[in-house]
Amino acid sequence: MSMIFFACVVRVRDGLPLSASTDFHFNPDFLECRKRLKTLSSILAQYPSRGTAKGHDLSIHFLSSGDIACMAICSSNYSTVMAFCFLEELQWEFAASYDTTSISLASRPYAFLEFDNVIQKVKCHFNCASGSQTKANWEKIEEELKFRPPVQLKLEDTELMNGMANGGHTGVHVEVVPTYRMQRVTPLGILSLVLNIMCGALNLIRGVHLAEYSFQEDHEGIGNVIAFFLPFLACVFQCYLYLFYSSARKVKTFVLFFSICLCNIYLYGLRNLWQIAFHIGVASLSSYQILTRQLMEKQPDCGV
């Protein structure tokens, strides 16, 4: 059955449980998942703000912000987007009820026992929610998860985490970095890469030759040397932007394109109009390919 089975709020710095839903499930898989959630809660500070530990039947989702983290055990077929919608609402409710001072001063487990009823209420709401009730928040969270996917773990990995924590080696860990899958490289994209590499090579060769002459005889030609080397670097970075995801891609793409245009206009005299048009044309094609190659669309786990 697709649902949220358990939820809790913990303190990020030490994993101290502050509040939890009052659910009693005696299924061995669930009890084992609870143990692994406890282990994971003690090292949340090592991970990004969102994460998912996938299991065969059950999964753990966590969302941390500031001093607290909200965690949930859900069935593995429960929508990831809905799980993070639930955790975000839970986090908002807790932050509205308690200040950072009281959270920091909490010294015993489940110090905010009265919040258990709120967790239970929100959990029941999401287990029974219809599509129209959660549509607005769904779209927002889905967009966020598309550009900042949660770190992916396996429930089996918590065995190693537990051993490291008990052995006193919590300082040594491998941080899992979220990856971004881009759409397939197109034939036109490959052509733009080849032309870009060719333009970069031409800029580098001309720049090196001009630098040898300028530094020996004509120091006034250093501006031209820079005008060759800048487009070379811009061509290299354009290739990188096309092949790999980078934040603020649009801004970087336009900055690189205008840099290539300005440098080629500056070089008028050393290059004729046809050469300038060729370099600007290649830069235009590369910029278009960068802007049209987007992240892979992630399909929602279930339709709500």
Side-chain angles (χ1 to χ4, degrees):
M1 188 177 187
S2 179
M3 64 182 296
I4 303 167
F5 290 103
F6 173 80
C8 64
V9 181
V10 303
R11 190 164 59 192
V12 171
R13 76 167 187 260
D14 54 8
L16 179 73
L18 303 174
S19 184
S21 58
T22 52
D23 299 281
F24 299 97
H25 300 283
F26 299 103
N27 183 292
D29 291 338
F30 175 80
L31 295 176
E32 182 64 25
C33 197
R34 279 285 303 269
K35 290 180 183 178
R36 293 179 175 181
L37 179 144
K38 184 178 180 181
T39 301
L40 182 58
S41 68
S42 65
I43 54 171
L44 283 177
Q46 299 180 8
Y47 292 98
S49 59
R50 286 193 182 98
T52 295
K54 286 282 187 182
H56 184 263
D57 296 317
L58 298 172
S59 295
I60 299 172
H61 304 278
F62 64 85
L63 175 67
S64 58
S65 177
D67 298 325
I68 64 165
C70 296
M71 307 182 74
I73 296 176
C74 308
S75 54
S76 290
N77 60 347
Y78 190 75
S79 164
T80 300
V81 179
M82 281 293 285
F84 282 103
C85 286
F86 164 72
L87 292 175
E88 187 172 271
E89 183 163 338
L90 204 61
Q91 189 178 76
W92 186 89
E93 291 281 356
F94 192 87
S97 303
Y98 307 101
D99 56 32
T100 55
T101 303
S102 59
I103 294 170
S104 299
L105 294 176
S107 57
R108 60 182 176 83
Y110 305 105
F112 305 103
L113 194 63
E114 65 279 4
F115 192 74
D116 293 4
N117 292 330
V118 178
I119 296 178
Q120 198 71 17
K121 180 181 177 181
V122 177
K123 183 170 72 71
C124 290
H125 168 74
F126 272 81
N127 280 339
C128 305
S130 64
S132 58
Q133 291 175 294
T134 58
K135 184 178 179 182
N137 205 32
W138 165 281
E139 292 175 349
K140 180 174 86 65
I141 298 297
E142 185 181 32
E143 190 69 18
E144 290 178 5
L145 293 181
K146 184 171 69 172
F147 289 101
R148 286 194 308 158
V151 62
Q152 296 293 321
L153 306 171
K154 291 181 180 179
L155 282 182
E156 292 76 12
D157 294 341
T158 55
E159 295 286 351
L160 177 60
M161 295 174 194
N162 194 31
M164 292 172 67
N166 291 336
H169 300 294
T170 52
V172 181
H173 69 278
V174 178
E175 183 171 344
V176 183
V177 180
T179 56
Y180 299 88
R181 294 185 62 189
M182 304 288 289
Q183 292 175 346
R184 288 176 178 270
V185 175
T186 62
L188 192 59
I190 295 173
L191 175 63
S192 72
L193 286 173
V194 172
L195 292 174
N196 222 346
I197 292 169
M198 186 174 70
C199 288
L202 289 172
N203 286 318
L204 180 62
I205 292 169
R206 290 291 303 276
V208 170
H209 287 169
L210 191 60
E212 292 176 351
Y213 172 77
S214 297
F215 292 144
Q216 292 176 7
E217 300 181 20
D218 180 18
H219 293 285
E220 294 181 358
I222 293 177
N224 293 329
V225 174
I226 295 173
F228 277 116
F229 281 136
L230 278 181
F232 161 69
L233 295 174
C235 288
V236 173
F237 202 27
Q238 276 191 327
C239 292
Y240 175 83
L241 284 180
Y242 178 71
L243 293 172
F244 305 103
Y245 175 80
S246 175
S247 59
R249 291 172 75 229
K250 285 187 179 180
V251 175
K252 293 175 182 177
T253 300
F254 284 118
V255 169
L256 293 174
F257 174 71
F258 285 118
S259 298
I260 292 172
C261 291
L262 290 174
C263 287
N264 276 279
I265 292 171
Y266 180 84
L267 291 170
Y268 179 68
L270 293 177
R271 278 181 172 157
N272 59 41
L273 289 175
W274 287 108
Q275 291 172 325
I276 292 173
F278 174 73
H279 282 269
I280 292 178
V282 171
S284 302
L285 176 62
S286 297
S287 299
Y288 175 76
Q289 290 301 307
I290 293 169
L291 295 175
T292 53
R293 189 178 185 223
Q294 301 297 327
L295 290 169
M296 290 281 285
E297 290 291 334
K298 288 183 67 178
Q299 296 298 322
D301 296 322
C302 67
V304 294

